[in-house]
Amino acid sequence: MVQIPAQPYDFVFDPDKAALLIIDMQRDFVEPGGFGAMLGNDVGQLRGAIAPLVGLLAAARQAGLFVMHTREGHKPDLSDLHESKRVRGKGTMTIGDSGPMGRILIVGEPGHDIIPELYPIAGEPVIDKPGKGAFYDTELADIVAQRGLTQLIVCGVTTEVCVHTTVREANDRGIDCLVLADCTASYFPEFHETALRMIVAQGGIFGWVTDSASVISALTAPAEPAAG
Ligand code: TIU
């Protein structure tokens, strides 16, 4: 057990029951020509999270922390795409249409894949999710149960959409979430700040917030001597 300084109070980190969950660090969200850009966003707003995440991921792997990745997207036949999501926004292009990185938000297309800087390695589950939350219609709850996980260190994009939805889903399943301010990002900086404040308000109604340096310190801290 290691105490990690956090808001609204210290997070008691138990690496044996924790995992790093990296949400949707896909080309479709952080590179031009993908889903995020199609929605009218400035994808450059998200890129600041990449460098801190690279450092965190290296430290997590070094420490042997269990790592999971998610990708938002849909099957090529769109059988897992609700019509409500397909038509939302009334844009000229939508999910499944062809763009510069292949069909938008479709599994197997270049844009759907995780960015090279954060590419998963063997042993790190990649959870494909059709919704904003990582628990909806995925195997994540089974993995959490099988491994006895009770803590998630949550990173990725975007703070107020897929990160927030996942944190809320996890919270209702009895999982403590520690969200990293520098390893999450939004197309709207003010939404990022407010989303983080919403997590820690009311005594940590959805969880805790800290930064990658605090987690890296905890991951590299010498083990506590055994009691007695
Ligand atoms: N649009 C937006 O901010 N986010 C998403 O659609 N998905 C995720 O957050 N991954």
Side-chain angles (χ1 to χ4, degrees):
M1 300 279 194
V2 185
Q3 303 258 354
I4 298 180
Q7 297 294 326
Y9 50 85
D10 286 0
F11 185 84
V12 181
F13 176 50
D14 181 354
D16 293 335
K17 294 188 172 173
L20 173 62
L21 181 64
I22 303 178
I23 304 282
D24 299 355
M25 289 302 294
Q26 298 160 254
R27 299 182 64 198
D28 253 319
F29 291 102
V30 307
E31 292 187 18
F35 181 63
M38 185 197 84
L39 296 174
N41 295 304
D42 168 13
V43 295
Q45 293 288 347
L46 303 188
R47 299 198 64 86
I50 297 173
L53 259 169
V54 167
L56 177 75
L57 183 55
R61 286 171 174 165
Q62 179 74 27
L65 185 68
F66 184 51
V67 177
M68 297 183 280
H69 307 255
T70 71
R71 303 186 297 192
E72 182 178 347
H74 299 277
K75 295 175 181 168
D77 66 1
L78 305 182
S79 58
D80 58 358
L81 174 62
H82 296 302
E83 182 65 5
S84 63
K85 184 175 179 183
R86 196 184 69 79
V87 301
R88 187 70 53 83
K90 295 184 174 179
T92 52
M93 284 182 69
T94 189
I95 295 165
D97 288 351
S98 291
M101 293 192 290
R103 293 179 69 200
I104 289 170
L105 222 58
I106 299 297
V107 175
E109 300 288 336
H112 176 264
D113 214 351
I114 292 172
I115 59 172
E117 299 95 315
L118 300 171
Y119 212 74
I121 60 173
E124 298 177 352
V126 178
I127 295 154
D128 282 325
K129 62 186 193 47
K132 303 305 181 193
F135 285 86
Y136 169 68
D137 204 11
T138 73
E139 65 276 30
L140 180 56
D142 290 339
I143 296 173
V144 163
Q146 280 161 11
R147 298 191 72 103
L149 301 175
T150 60
Q151 303 184 342
L152 291 174
I153 297 173
V154 187
C155 302
V157 295
T158 62
T159 320
E160 81 280 15
V161 181
C162 291
V163 171
H164 235 262
T165 306
T166 299
V167 166
R168 290 168 186 238
E169 288 181 324
N171 199 60
D172 282 350
R173 287 165 172 79
I175 298 163
D176 289 334
C177 290
L178 179 62
V179 179
L180 305 194
D182 56 336
C183 294
T184 49
S186 168
Y187 299 116
F188 307 91
E190 69 273 28
F191 289 176
H192 173 75
E193 293 302 328
T194 302
L196 296 177
R197 287 177 57 200
M198 289 167 69
I199 289 167
V200 304
Q202 304 184 65
I205 197 88
F206 294 127
W208 287 256
V209 172
T210 190
D211 56 20
S212 58
S214 300
V215 173
I216 291 169
S217 292
L219 288 169
T220 54
E224 282 180 27

